[in-house]
C-alpha cells in the first residue's frame, strides 16, 4: 500500500476540521452523543476525501485499473521503445 502524500494529509485534515465545525454549527447540538456522531461523520468524510485525492505521477485510468486489480500501474509502451534512428558507432568529428 503506498504511503499517503502530504496533499492527502492536508485535504483530509482540512475536511475533518471544516466539515465537523460546519455540522456542529448547523445542527446546534449540545448533547455528548450528538457531538460524537458529528465527530465520527467528520472523520469518515475526511478519510474519504484523503483516499480520493489522486496520486502524483500516474495517469487517472491506470490508477483506477491498478486500484481495482490491486497491482502497480503499467508503464506506457513508448517508455521502453527503441530510438527511431539507429545510433552510429563512430564519432562525428572528421579527421
Amino acid at each position: 500500500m503506498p504511503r499517503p502524500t502530504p496533499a492527502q494529509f492536508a485535504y483530509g485534515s482540512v475536511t475533518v476540521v471544516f466539515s465537523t465545525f460546519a455540522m456542529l454549527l448547523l445542527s446546534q447540538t449540545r448533547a455528548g452523543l450528538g457531538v460524537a456522531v458529528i465527530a465520527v461523520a467528520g472523520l469518515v468524510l475526511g478519510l474519504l476525501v484523503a483516499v480520493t485525492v489522486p496520486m502524483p505521477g500516474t495517469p487517472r485510468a491506470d490508477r483506477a485499473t491498478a486500484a481495482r486489480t490491486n497491482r502497480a500501474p503499467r508503464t506506457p509502451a513508448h517508455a521502453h521503445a527503441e530510438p527511431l534512428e539507429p545510433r552510429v558507432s563512430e564519432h562525428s568529428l572528421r579527421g
Side-chain angles (χ1 to χ4, degrees), residues 6-75:
Q8 288 174 313
F9 277 124
Y11 287 140
S13 300
V14 167
T15 301
V16 168
V17 170
F18 285 126
S19 65
T20 303
F21 186 66
M23 287 187 282
L24 284 171
L25 285 178
L26 291 173
S27 69
Q28 296 179 354
T29 185
R30 298 206 187 331
L33 182 62
V35 172
V37 168
I38 289 174
V40 169
L43 287 173
V44 169
L45 187 60
L47 181 64
L48 180 68
V49 167
V51 169
T52 57
V53 171
M55 296 293 283
T58 57
R60 183 175 218 152
D62 282 348
R63 272 197 312 270
T65 303
R68 281 194 305 268
T69 60
N70 198 16
R71 61 186 168 99
R74 297 179 291 149
T75 57

